[in-house]
């Protein structure tokens, strides 16, 4: 937004498009004044802002003495004059008004209720109260209701200028109650002709400043033309200690036009945070943003520290994100970010006038990075030390959270109706969440641990309660530590798909078809230990490993399953499998081993079959050892045996020390 002359200007700009198409604008920071932080005063009693007098004042200001306090309980018409006041003159409000002129102060204060669009103040003056109450009827240059693009653009400039005017008069809180207006978020403020910057053209919130709105406050996006891909109503642009609290921000998702070439990126956000420090967004309602609800990013790139101004210390709490296109929140650059106590509903879902856009997650963490010509990884943007907790999410098209790239990100204690996925990340933790599938989420997974490579390590999935999905957890990543989760009412509890150094420990799984499965894949240095697994379908599998580690590249890979307990009479199956050790487990049901290589089944404390053999061996085998297992005599048909060795390559199977106990 272009400022009046007494504001600081941003003077250098360059543009950049990140992998997630967020943070399009990166602007070198402007110099800002240091302002002493004031306490939030929004708990004070409501002041009476009404003009109750209709009587002209019987005095003028020509004879005012220094250090006077003038009580305005009448209508003071300055008749277009500029009045130069003596030192330290104060103006108190008692139902009157001052208008049609200019007051030039030399110290002193003015009650904020006397400010209006027909009164200009200059010089050295402060507000009597640091909480300024905005009364729309007193600001004729800020227009409510349906309007034109030009007037909506003027609304941007005039509201922002009023923020900065009151801030210069030492306001710390700007309160808006009953107000409903449109803002043009996609155009450059005349007469400027510079490149469009969404965070500049939005209504900017100053440093050390709180915008306090109520349920009666509605800021609306003026409907954009087709093809427009950026914009925001409000912005925190290179500021410190700033807050927006309450109110409704309405996007233009169902009112704007989209071009035939739209690839899911057209639209605008509702708030931009660019290089914000100690920013709070509290109890704001984000509705129908056409590109997203809120995006958090920084000026410049971390690879160029001299021109990099990172966002740090952003709290997003108690907000509603509803019917947002693409995603509710985008985090592409910043640290020490908390997303807490928010509600996400229907994000990324199609609506009558718009598809759901790309991404489709309620929260997307995706800083940009690339490799240079020498293969060196360059982290252009950084997203780290992020906590997402105590939120509620339902019916997002793709899922609740995707951590595409980032470090030290925690997703904990949320109520989730869809999915969470992480990819090229390290130090990411998905902890103590409650996943209850609803709608199309019942046909998918709850958690997907994805991504491999040098930046994927030390990630954890623990303490989650998962119910109602086709698959509970998919592990397809490096160093995934999956432990102490409770997974129920699923077809497959846990799917292993090309994991490296995965640990699956002390989980409680109740699945109808497969407890843990790995099919047409590999497991490299895997550990599956201490899990309780129940399969409820009579034809189900406790463990189903098929076509595992059987390529030239994976023949030396291995996975160990130990100290697990398997309930209900179903099977543990290893078919076309290589590199498996199954030891010290307690199995209700039988074990099948077909066409296996480098498989050891040893020292299992109980193998308790009913309608199956204790251990059935079929097909061809190489380097298979079955030893020291305690097998109960099958309780089913007489054709079943403790060990049924029907191998086509008996020399490939070593049997020793197994016991067959009569019931």
């Amino acid at each position: 937004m272009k400022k009046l002359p007494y504001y600081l200007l941003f003077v250098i700009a360059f543009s950049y498009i990140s992998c997630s198409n967020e943070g399009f604008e990166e602007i070198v920071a402007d110099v800002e004044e240091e302002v002493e932080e004031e306490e939030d005063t929004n708990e004070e009693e409501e002041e009476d802002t009404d003009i109750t007098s209709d009587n002209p004042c019987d005095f003028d200001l020509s004879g005012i003495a220094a250090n006077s306090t003038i009580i305005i309980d009448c209508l003071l018409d300055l008749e277009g004059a500029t009045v130069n006041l003596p030192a330290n003159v104060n103006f108190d409000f008692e139902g009157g008004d001052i208008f049609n002129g200019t007051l030039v102060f030399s110290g002193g204060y003015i009650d904020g209720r006397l400010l209006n669009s027909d009164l200009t103040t200059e010089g050295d003056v402060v507000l009597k109260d640091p909480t300024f109450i905005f009364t729309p009827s007193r600001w004729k240059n800020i227009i409510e209701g349906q309007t034109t693009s030009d007037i909506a653009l003027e609304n941007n400039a005039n509201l922002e200028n009023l923020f900065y005017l009151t801030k210069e008069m030492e306001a710390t809180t700007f309160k808006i109650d009953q107000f409903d207006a449109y803002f043009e978020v996609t155009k450059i403020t005349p007469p400027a002709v510079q490149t469009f910057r969404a965070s500049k053209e939005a209504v900017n919130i100053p440093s050390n400043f709180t915008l306090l709105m109520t349920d009666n406050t509605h800021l609306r996006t003026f409907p954009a033309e087709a093809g427009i891909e950026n914009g925001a109503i409000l912005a925190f642009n290179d500021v410190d200690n700033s807050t927006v609290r309450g109110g409704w921000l309405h996007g233009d998702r169902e009112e704007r036009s989209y071009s035939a070439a739209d690839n899911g990126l057209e639209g605008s956000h509702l708030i931009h945070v660019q290089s914000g420090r100690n920013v709070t967004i509290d109890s704001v309602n984000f509705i129908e943003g056409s590109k997203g609800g809120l995006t958090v990013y920084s000026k410049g790139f971390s690879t160029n520290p001299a021109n990099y101004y990172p966002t740090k210390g952003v709290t997003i709490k108690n907000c509603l994100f509803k019917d947002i296109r693409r995603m509710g929140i985008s985090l592409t650059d910043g640290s020490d970010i908390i997303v807490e106590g928010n509600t996400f509903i229907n994000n990324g879902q199609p609506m009558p006038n718009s598809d759901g856009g790309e991404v489709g997650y309620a929260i997307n963490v995706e800083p940009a990075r690339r490799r240079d010509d020498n293969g060196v990884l360059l982290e252009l943007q950084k997203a780290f030390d992020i906590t997402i907790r105590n939120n509620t999410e339902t019916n997002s098209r793709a899922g609740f959270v995707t951590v595409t790239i980032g470090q030290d990100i925690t997703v904990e204690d949320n109520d989730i109706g869809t999915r969470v996925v992480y990819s090229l990340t390290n130090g990411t933790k998905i902890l103590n969440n409650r996943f209850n599938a609803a709608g199309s989420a019942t046909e998918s997974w709850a958690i997907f641990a994805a991504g491999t490579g040098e930046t994927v390590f030390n990630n954890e999935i623990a303490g989650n309660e998962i119910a109602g999905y086709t698959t509970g957890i998919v592990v397809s990543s490096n160093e995934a530590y999956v432990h102490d989760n409770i997974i129920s009412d699923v077809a497959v509890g846990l799917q292993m798909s090309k994991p490296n150094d995965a640990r699956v420990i002390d989980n409680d799984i109740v699945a109808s078809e497969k407890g843990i499965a790995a099919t047409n894949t590999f497991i490299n240095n895997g550990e599956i230990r201490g899990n309780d697994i129940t399969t409820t379908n009579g034809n189900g599998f406790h463990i189903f490993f098929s076509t595992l580690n059987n390529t030239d590249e994976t023949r030396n890979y291995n996975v160990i399953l130990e100290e697990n307990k398997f309930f209900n009479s179903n099977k543990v199956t290893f078919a076309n499998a290589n590199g498996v050790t199954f030891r010290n487990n307690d199995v209700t049901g039988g074990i099948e081993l077909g066409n296996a290589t480098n498989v050891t089944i040893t020292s299992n404390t109980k193998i308790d079959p009913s309608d199956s053999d204790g251990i059935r061996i079929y097909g061809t085998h190489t380097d298979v050892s079955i030893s020291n297992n305690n097998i109960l005599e099958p309780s089913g048909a007489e054709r079943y045996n403790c060990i049924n060795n029907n191998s086509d390559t008996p020399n490939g199977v070593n049997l020793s020390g197994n016991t067959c106990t009569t019931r």
Side-chain angles (χ1 to χ4, degrees):
M1 176 65 57
K2 184 177 177 64
K3 301 291 193 302
L4 292 179
Y6 47 80
Y7 303 127
L8 302 173
L9 295 175
F10 301 119
V11 295
I12 303 175
F14 63 94
S15 63
Y16 165 71
I17 300 176
S18 77
C19 295
S20 65
N21 296 290
E22 302 304 315
F24 286 177
E25 56 211 279
E26 304 294 344
I27 309 173
V28 175
D30 57 324
V31 180
E32 62 180 350
E33 297 180 5
E34 292 293 330
V35 181
E36 183 178 356
E37 184 176 0
E38 301 279 357
E39 288 188 7
D40 188 343
T41 59
N42 63 36
E43 299 299 326
E44 294 183 357
E45 292 184 7
E46 186 72 38
E47 292 181 318
D48 185 1
T49 61
D50 291 340
I51 305 300
T52 57
S53 175
D54 56 6
N55 297 317
C57 294
D58 58 3
F59 62 87
D60 60 31
L61 301 178
S62 59
I64 298 291
N67 303 309
S68 298
T69 296
I70 312 301
I71 296 174
I72 302 298
D73 57 0
C74 53
L75 304 180
L76 182 58
D77 185 350
L78 300 179
E79 298 179 345
T82 296
V83 179
N84 291 289
L85 299 168
N88 302 318
V89 172
N90 304 318
F91 288 86
D92 281 340
F93 172 84
E94 284 194 10
D97 197 8
I98 309 175
F99 55 93
N100 190 24
T102 300
L103 298 178
V104 182
F105 286 80
S106 296
Y109 68 73
I110 185 170
D111 192 309
R113 290 172 289 182
L114 292 170
L115 298 182
N116 64 87
S117 57
D118 290 329
L119 173 66
T120 301
T121 58
E122 297 177 359
D124 178 16
V125 61
V126 299
L127 295 177
K128 180 180 181 181
D129 190 322
T131 297
F132 175 79
I133 299 175
F134 173 73
T135 303
S137 62
R138 294 182 58 72
W139 299 93
K140 299 174 185 177
N141 57 349
I142 301 174
I143 307 301
E144 293 191 81
Q146 295 284 344
T147 189
T148 65
S149 172
D150 289 344
I151 292 175
L153 187 59
E154 291 176 3
N155 281 349
N156 290 25
N158 293 330
L159 183 58
E160 180 180 293
N161 289 336
L162 187 54
F163 286 172
Y164 278 85
L165 172 64
T166 56
K167 166 67 186 307
E168 287 194 345
M169 299 172 76
E170 298 189 5
T172 58
T173 300
F174 189 106
K175 185 172 181 179
I176 307 177
D177 185 20
Q178 190 80 39
F179 182 61
D180 193 328
Y182 279 89
F183 296 85
E184 173 58 80
V185 306
T186 67
K187 296 180 180 179
I188 297 172
T189 306
V193 293
Q194 77 276 11
T195 303
F196 176 84
R197 301 280 183 249
S199 65
K200 184 174 183 179
E201 295 305 325
V203 179
N204 274 250
I205 297 172
S207 290
N208 302 298
F209 195 82
T210 295
L211 171 59
L212 180 61
M213 300 183 284
T214 73
D215 278 346
N216 299 318
T217 312
H218 298 267
L219 310 185
R220 302 180 186 274
T221 305
F222 188 85
E225 301 171 359
I228 299 295
E229 290 193 1
N230 217 345
I233 297 177
L234 298 175
F236 298 87
N237 193 346
D238 197 17
V239 296
D240 299 272
N241 309 317
S242 298
T243 297
V244 59
R245 181 174 292 121
W248 294 78
L249 304 182
H250 300 267
D252 62 345
R253 177 176 180 180
E254 291 299 277
E255 298 178 320
R256 64 169 288 140
S257 299
Y258 299 89
S259 72
D262 176 32
N263 60 359
L265 293 172
E266 291 183 11
S268 58
H269 293 88
L270 299 171
I271 292 182
H272 275 220
V273 178
Q274 184 185 38
S275 298
R277 296 164 296 276
N278 192 23
V279 167
T280 299
I281 299 167
D282 182 7
S283 303
V284 178
N285 298 286
F286 295 80
I287 307 296
E288 294 188 11
S290 53
K291 184 170 185 172
L294 166 67
T295 181
V296 179
Y297 57 108
S298 302
K299 297 172 183 277
F301 307 114
S302 68
T303 50
N304 184 12
N307 294 308
Y308 177 53
Y309 304 90
T311 288
K312 183 178 177 66
V314 175
T315 299
I316 305 157
K317 63 181 182 179
N318 307 320
C319 296
L320 170 66
F321 295 84
K322 187 173 185 293
D323 296 327
I324 307 292
R325 190 171 184 249
R326 294 182 70 242
M327 67 194 93
I329 299 174
S330 167
L331 307 174
T332 59
D333 195 288
S335 64
D336 296 332
I337 297 171
I338 296 174
V339 181
E340 181 173 24
N342 304 285
T343 300
F344 299 86
I345 302 172
N346 299 337
N347 288 284
Q349 293 288 2
M351 293 184 71
N353 188 49
S354 58
D355 61 27
E358 46 96 270
V359 182
Y361 280 84
I363 302 173
N364 179 28
V365 184
E366 190 175 359
R369 67 184 194 181
R370 64 177 177 83
R371 293 189 182 274
D372 65 15
D373 294 340
N374 297 316
V376 176
L377 184 64
L378 302 177
E379 293 184 293
L380 302 176
Q381 297 175 307
K382 291 185 175 182
F384 60 97
D385 292 341
I386 297 170
T387 300
I388 300 169
R389 67 188 176 210
N390 298 325
N391 301 282
T392 299
E393 179 270 341
T394 55
N395 199 38
S396 300
R397 188 184 80 243
F400 173 43
V401 176
T402 173
V403 183
T404 306
I405 299 169
Q407 296 85 38
D408 299 324
I409 296 165
T410 299
V411 181
E412 65 176 333
D413 198 22
N414 300 283
D415 289 295
I416 301 167
T418 57
R419 295 163 287 273
V420 171
V421 59
Y422 70 72
S423 300
L424 305 176
T425 180
N426 55 76
T428 289
K429 302 179 187 299
I430 304 172
L431 307 176
N432 304 318
N433 300 283
R434 294 160 296 281
F435 290 81
N436 289 284
S440 62
T442 60
E443 301 175 1
S444 186
W445 37 265
I447 302 173
F448 200 127
T452 58
E454 65 192 81
T455 64
V456 183
F457 55 89
N458 191 31
N459 297 311
E460 182 179 5
I461 300 169
N464 300 285
E465 298 176 10
I466 297 171
Y469 294 81
T470 298
T471 301
I473 300 173
V474 180
V475 181
S476 181
S477 185
N478 295 350
E479 295 188 20
Y481 181 27
V482 182
H483 66 95
D484 295 294
N485 300 284
I486 299 173
I487 304 171
S488 63
D489 189 23
V490 295
V492 178
L494 195 145
Q495 181 78 41
M496 310 285 282
S497 179
K498 301 181 179 179
N500 295 289
D501 303 307
R503 293 177 292 159
V504 178
I505 299 174
D506 293 336
N507 300 283
D508 190 330
I509 299 172
V510 179
S512 61
E513 297 180 10
K514 300 180 180 73
I516 300 178
T519 306
N520 296 316
T521 188
F522 66 75
I523 302 175
N524 180 22
N525 191 32
E527 178 185 5
I528 301 173
R529 173 168 54 83
N531 303 283
D532 288 351
I533 297 176
T534 301
T535 47
T536 59
N537 189 323
N539 296 317
F541 299 88
H542 297 312
I543 300 289
F544 186 81
F545 286 0
S546 176
T547 316
L548 178 73
N549 296 343
N550 62 359
T551 67
D552 290 341
E553 293 80 6
T554 62
R555 63 183 179 182
N556 293 321
Y557 291 178
N558 66 86
V559 56
I560 297 174
L561 301 92
E562 62 180 337
E563 300 175 5
N564 303 285
K565 293 182 179 180
F566 303 95
F567 302 93
N568 285 7
S569 187
N570 279 303
K571 298 175 182 178
V572 173
T573 294
F574 304 113
N576 297 308
N578 169 58
V580 177
T581 298
F582 188 84
R583 68 191 182 201
N584 300 320
N585 300 285
D586 186 322
V587 182
T588 300
I591 300 173
E592 291 186 332
L593 186 62
N595 301 316
T597 302
N598 298 320
V599 173
T600 298
I601 300 174
T602 185
S603 302
N604 293 288
T605 56
K606 183 182 72 173
I607 300 173
D608 183 4
S610 56
D611 294 326
S612 69
D613 298 306
I615 300 177
R616 176 179 173 234
I617 308 166
Y618 65 94
T620 61
H621 302 84
T622 303
D623 295 328
V624 170
S625 175
I626 301 174
S627 63
N628 303 318
N629 298 288
N630 180 23
I631 307 169
L632 296 179
E633 188 177 70
S635 60
E638 292 185 2
R639 69 178 182 275
Y640 297 128
N641 300 300
C642 282
I643 298 178
N644 179 4
N645 185 359
N646 195 28
S647 174
D648 295 333
T649 54
N651 292 334
V653 179
N654 178 34
L655 297 170
S656 65
N658 301 290
T659 61
C660 183
T661 304
T662 303
R663 292 177 184 273

